[in-house]
Amino acid sequence: MDQVASKAKAIPINVDGLYEKHRTVYARSTTGIFNNWRWAMVCFTQALFYGLCWLEWGGRQAVLFHIEERRFYIFGMVFWPQDVIYLAVLLVISAYALFLVTAVGGRLFCGYACPQTVYTEILMWIERRIEGERPARMKLDAQPMSARKFRLKFTKHALWLLVALWTGITFVGYFTPIRELLPAIATFALGPWETFWILFYAAFLYMMAGFLREQVCKYMCPYARFQGVMFDPDTLIISYDPERGEPRGARRKGGAVKSAPLGDCVDCSICVQVCPTGIDIRNGLQLECIACAACIDACDQVMDKVGSPRGLIRYSTENAMARHYTARQMATHLLRPRTLLYASVLLAIIVATVWSLAHRVPLKVDVLRDRSTLSREADDGRTENVFSLHISNTDEADHRYAVGVSGLEGIEIAGERSVEVPAASSKTFLLSVRAEPGVGRKGSNVVHFEIRADDDPDIAVREKTSFFQP
């Protein structure tokens, strides 16, 4: 036993292998069809994010998650806390959409629509405009501090902070009306939670997209860790073709090669230089790869220059690379049982959700009994129960609602039997319900309240409660 223990203690532990020193990635810019698609997604997502909070609908902000009023406005729909089921459905739809996209195209979301990717692209664009391309940035960082370096760094970080602050303001503008938020900022009248979230969101963006960048994708994002179980041999991934590219080597001027035969890869390392996470795609699929396809654009340009066909690095699948599928065969294998199942379930959930929203009654009613007494004798000798009705009008128009009750012979409401509720608001009122003594059984009797809009018979709710007979 002691020998085993001594042997266990003698096993060396390579501490250096557990941690990797951070190496700054100076990503080189590139052009090409995938870069154009990536920037199109940047423009689309940010136009949606920055612009949607300014859109008006029916005299109010079109999309507003008003936590203080406990109401969510999404165009013509008003959601209340009772509608939390739709939030759960939205999360399920997002999960299945992610499963489907990943099964078909790998980390396409990461490469084109992830907020980390989008804001990193924006801040890197600012960085390139201020400090220059990759060699200039590397040279600048290696220089000691000078007036020029301070000016460039100050300008870059000032613009980063402006983007981050405006993004934080826009984010809070979805929870506090943006047209109320900006005057409050101008007059220093912000509330504590608005101030916190603007600064927190801005600082978070500034840190994540400005400094951490690829470290978020490599170490912090859980998607990079579990993506492997969502891939299969027919999933589209960024692939390097070793059969065509190896052995790699540089070409001499005039088309001669240093040593024959060589593959199409000229070992220029430009695919590594343009990678935002700093990996070499020629080493195969890696968890750091976000499928942005910058290496494809860069490699295609090099192939054009050396006169070789494009596609040395391309979107492909493991089976397509091994079995030399044509593009049509590869597309056929994308429509496999797994993706069809994901697509079918996703479509079914979306259709059911749309149907539910289309047939959603814009009226919610909560019935509560008076807690002070179960029942009492009214002036006319009948048994009286008092109820509290909380009526929520989730429509965009004012409505007057008629209230009725049924379930016992001769049961009726004493007093006012209608109530008017403004659009997208709620009202609570008390009403007395009376029934003849001896009707029904002693104790609890099931009755129903019927609440119906006077101007629209389709807006109606029937709520169950109990009437107590002594």
Side-chain angles (χ1 to χ4, degrees), residues 81-104:
Q82 299 94 318
D83 294 314
V84 68
I85 183 64
Y86 289 108
L87 175 61
V89 171
L90 178 62
L91 295 177
V92 172
I93 291 175
S94 300
Y96 267 98
L98 185 63
F99 296 160
L100 177 60
V101 170
T102 305
V104 172

Side-chain angles (χ1 to χ4, degrees), residues 119-371:
Y119 289 111
T120 298
E121 284 287 337
I122 293 173
L123 297 196
M124 286 175 62
W125 179 83
I126 295 173
E127 186 175 60
R128 293 190 186 105
R129 300 291 293 181
I130 301 299
E131 297 182 359
E133 262 299 340
R134 182 174 185 268
R137 298 199 306 273
M138 296 173 68
K139 183 179 179 180
L140 182 66
D141 285 352
Q143 294 174 356
M145 183 56 68
S146 62
R148 176 181 176 274
K149 182 175 181 178
F150 177 81
R151 174 176 57 82
L152 293 177
K153 293 291 184 182
F154 179 83
T155 304
K156 179 184 75 172
H157 287 282
L159 292 175
W160 281 5
L161 285 171
L162 284 176
V163 172
L165 282 172
W166 183 245
T167 305
I169 291 170
T170 303
F171 172 75
V172 175
Y174 283 97
F175 300 89
T176 296
I178 191 72
R179 287 177 172 79
E180 299 175 10
L181 184 64
L182 292 184
I185 294 174
T187 57
F188 301 98
L190 274 182
W193 81 264
E194 288 100 339
T195 303
F196 169 79
W197 281 108
I198 289 175
L199 296 178
F200 176 81
Y201 200 86
F204 200 77
L205 187 153
Y206 178 68
M207 177 179 64
M208 294 294 181
F211 296 94
L212 297 181
R213 292 184 178 175
E214 78 284 350
Q215 297 179 73
V216 176
C217 304
K218 293 168 67 173
Y219 305 117
M220 299 174 64
C221 178
Y223 187 35
R225 295 295 184 269
F226 66 76
Q227 63 163 329
V229 300
M230 303 172 71
F231 285 12
D232 60 37
D234 287 311
T235 297
L236 272 177
I237 55 176
I238 307 292
S239 305
Y240 166 72
D241 190 348
E243 292 185 12
R244 193 186 130 186
E246 301 297 327
R248 65 187 76 156
R251 271 65 171 165
R252 294 183 183 274
K253 291 184 178 180
V257 296
K258 289 184 177 179
S259 59
L262 289 177
D264 285 347
C265 178
V266 298
D267 203 19
C268 61
S269 76
I270 293 180
C271 59
V272 181
Q273 296 175 27
V274 300
C275 179
T277 59
I279 65 170
D280 190 342
I281 194 61
R282 296 172 296 180
N283 295 332
L285 179 65
Q286 299 149 70
L287 66 86
E288 296 90 348
C289 178
I290 60 172
C292 67
C295 54
I296 298 180
D297 284 334
C299 186
D300 284 347
Q301 292 178 9
V302 173
M303 292 297 102
D304 291 342
K305 290 179 180 178
V306 300
S308 297
R310 289 188 170 198
L312 179 60
I313 302 175
R314 60 185 183 271
Y315 276 111
S316 187
T317 69
E318 183 181 336
N319 282 338
M321 297 291 288
R323 302 173 185 177
H324 306 287
Y325 287 161
T326 63
R328 185 171 184 176
Q329 289 174 317
M330 188 169 62
T332 302
H333 282 80
L334 292 178
L335 299 175
R336 55 198 186 277
R338 183 181 182 183
T339 57
L340 293 176
L341 177 62
Y342 286 152
S344 300
V345 174
L346 180 61
L347 181 61
I349 296 175
I350 292 175
V351 169
T353 303
V354 171
W355 183 90
S356 175
L357 289 172
H359 293 80
R360 175 171 166 260
V361 178
L363 171 64
K364 298 185 182 300
V365 179
D366 292 320
V367 180
L368 297 176
R369 291 183 53 86
D370 183 12
R371 297 181 180 179

Side-chain angles (χ1 to χ4, degrees), residues 453-469:
D454 291 342
D455 56 347
D456 190 345
D458 292 331
I459 302 178
V461 169
R462 193 168 188 258
E463 285 292 318
K464 178 182 175 182
T465 187
S466 60
F467 185 89
F468 189 82
Q469 283 279 26

Side-chain angles (χ1 to χ4, degrees), residues 14-29:
N14 184 13
V15 178
D16 294 336
L18 298 177
Y19 303 96
E20 181 183 1
K21 184 179 179 181
H22 176 245
R23 174 176 55 88
T24 303
V25 176
Y26 295 93
R28 176 175 177 170
S29 64

